[in-house]
């Protein structure tokens, strides 16, 4: 099968375009990666090259040795992915130590995978282990309202989680584990990758102060839906803070406890503090 005919590739392209349409991907902002199933790599084998040069990932992910990933290219624009996926995307294979990668398909006009490859792969490694292999998608987006909130809220998991939960009743059901926050760091390197993957042990969402968000999920729908839900909640919070910084009423701690029972989710106690 041709790479572009594969269902996972079409889902990936659609998700890039959905993110662009949301306004989360100015210029080359944001990146996406998908950990391919063995049978998916097999199904497109006829188009995978094996002669590419091995390059350093910049970190070590031994748990992902030998696996294939579909990723966006560095400097590529999400708005162009749907028009020319072979220019914007790449399939990369990892070596048997999980320290180097090589390009097997895509980036036909040159280039390299996203500069956030260390964060993507370290998150994949953590989430693969934490979910028994179910999570396959890692998504980074420059979500406007979440970024705005990182200038006005304390950069604490407890504050962001609780404030975002209060903005929409579905939130504690969609992200019951909450969200993690990292303070401002230089993007694109191992240090921010380590900090983010540490948060991913506990959460499916990590906020990068003054930069954006990372989300992890099983498939494109769930991961995009998670990003969308968190960002929409942040938009409501921005509106509320703009209209009237002191809430007249809200979803209470007891409301959350009642919701958790009916929707059969476990909400960590540290987010259920009395305000
Ligand atoms: P890339 O173009 O290298 O993917 O970088 C975009 C980005 O959002 C960096 O955080
Ligand atoms: Zn970014």
């Amino acid at each position: 099968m041709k790479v572009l005919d594969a269902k996972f590739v079409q889902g990936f392209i659609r998700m890039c375009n959905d993110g662009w349409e949301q306004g989360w991907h100015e210029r080359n902002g944001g990146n996406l990666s998908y950990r391919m199933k063995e049978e998916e790599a097999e199904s497109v084998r006829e188009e995978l090259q094996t002669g590419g040069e091995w390059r350093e990932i910049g970190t070590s992910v031994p748990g992902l040795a030998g696996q294939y990933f579909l990723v966006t290219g560095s400097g590529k624009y999400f708005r162009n992915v749907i028009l020319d996926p072979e220019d914007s995307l790449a399939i990369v294979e990892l070596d048997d130590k999980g320290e180097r990668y090589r390009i097997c398909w895509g980036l036909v006009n040159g280039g390299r995978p996203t500069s956030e490859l260390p964060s993507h792969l370290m998150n994949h490694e953590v989430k693969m282990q934490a979910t028994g292999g179910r999570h396959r998608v890692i998504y980074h987006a420059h979500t406007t309202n979440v970024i705005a909130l990182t200038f006005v809220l304390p950069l604490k998991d407890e504050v962001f989680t609780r404030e975002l939960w209060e903005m929409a009743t579905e939130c504690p059901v969609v992200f019951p584990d909450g969200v993690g926050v990292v303070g401002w760091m230089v993007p694109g390197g191992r240090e921010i990758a380590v900090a983010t993957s540490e948060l991913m042990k506990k959460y499916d969402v990590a906020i990068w102060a003054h930069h954006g968000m990372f989300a992890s999920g099983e498939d494109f729908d769930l991961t995009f839906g998670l990003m969308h839900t968190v960002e929409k909640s942040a938009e409501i919070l921005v509106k509320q803070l703009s209209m009237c910084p002191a809430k007249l009423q809200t979803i209470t701690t007891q409301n959350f406890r009642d919701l958790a029972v009916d929707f059969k989710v476990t909400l960590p106690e540290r987010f259920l503090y009395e305000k």
Side-chain angles (χ1 to χ4, degrees):
M1 195 196 304
K2 298 281 183 222
V3 168
L4 291 179
D5 292 333
K7 202 165 164 229
F8 72 93
V9 179
Q10 291 172 359
F12 188 103
I13 294 169
R14 178 177 170 223
M15 179 154 160
C16 289
N17 204 58
D18 287 347
W20 156 247
E21 288 182 346
Q22 288 297 327
W24 300 337
H25 300 287
E26 77 292 342
R27 207 172 178 278
N28 63 308
N31 22 76
L32 177 63
S33 65
Y34 173 72
R35 186 168 60 82
M36 290 163 57
K37 298 176 182 163
E38 253 174 63
E39 61 269 26
E40 287 168 336
E42 216 40 63
S43 71
V44 297
R45 180 77 59 193
E46 63 182 82
E47 284 209 311
L48 298 184
Q49 288 143 25
T50 53
E53 181 197 333
W54 290 104
R55 297 176 198 172
E56 300 294 326
I57 296 169
T59 191
S60 163
V61 283
L64 301 175
Q67 298 210 50
Y68 288 84
F69 293 82
L70 178 58
V71 297
T72 49
S74 186
K76 300 295 181 181
Y77 292 25
F78 268 46
R79 72 184 272 263
N80 290 336
V81 170
I82 197 165
L83 297 177
D84 196 357
E86 284 170 291
D87 171 76
S88 302
L89 310 181
I91 291 178
V92 299
E93 176 190 7
L94 304 196
D95 70 3
D96 58 4
K97 291 201 181 74
E99 285 177 0
R100 294 180 307 162
Y101 72 87
R102 65 179 175 186
I103 297 171
C104 304
W105 176 89
L107 290 176
V108 290
N109 298 307
R112 58 188 177 89
T114 172
S115 57
E116 304 294 0
L117 193 65
S119 279
H120 278 260
L121 293 178
M122 291 191 81
N123 290 343
H124 274 294
E125 190 179 42
V126 161
K127 295 312 277 187
M128 188 182 88
Q129 209 168 31
T131 67
R134 282 183 295 107
H135 277 209
R136 293 191 171 273
V137 183
I138 299 288
Y139 182 30
H140 169 55
H142 292 179
T143 42
T144 316
N145 293 284
V146 162
I147 297 170
L149 289 174
T150 64
F151 293 93
V152 300
L153 293 183
L155 300 176
K156 290 188 158 44
D157 304 3
E158 289 80 3
V159 174
F160 268 82
T161 299
R162 183 59 184 263
E163 291 299 325
L164 291 170
W165 277 2
E166 281 185 38
M167 290 302 113
T169 297
E170 68 179 311
C171 285
V173 181
V174 177
F175 50 101
D177 298 330
V179 301
V181 187
V182 287
W184 188 88
M185 291 178 83
V186 176
R190 187 171 182 276
E191 210 181 319
I192 197 167
V194 170
T196 312
S197 62
E198 204 48 48
L199 290 178
M200 283 291 180
K201 290 179 183 166
K202 283 191 282 193
Y203 308 115
D204 291 341
V205 178
I207 292 171
W208 282 3
H210 323 324
H211 185 146
M213 247 197 290
F214 265 83
S216 172
E218 290 184 31
D219 59 26
F220 300 122
D221 276 354
L222 286 164
T223 314
F224 188 83
L226 176 59
M227 185 71 83
H228 201 185
T229 305
V230 175
E231 171 59 6
K232 175 149 185 192
S233 195
E235 183 181 348
I236 300 169
L237 185 52
V238 167
K239 288 184 201 288
Q240 180 247 296
L241 289 168
S242 316
M243 288 186 292
C244 172
K247 295 169 199 150
L248 291 191
Q249 55 273 322
T250 188
I251 303 172
T252 65
T253 308
Q254 188 56 48
N255 292 155
F256 286 124
R257 293 191 192 284
D258 295 344
L259 189 77
V261 173
D262 275 25
F263 282 80
K264 299 180 176 49
V265 288
T266 306
L267 303 178
E269 252 334 285
R270 68 198 175 94
F271 300 139
L272 297 177
Y273 50 87
E274 290 299 338
K275 294 169 82 180

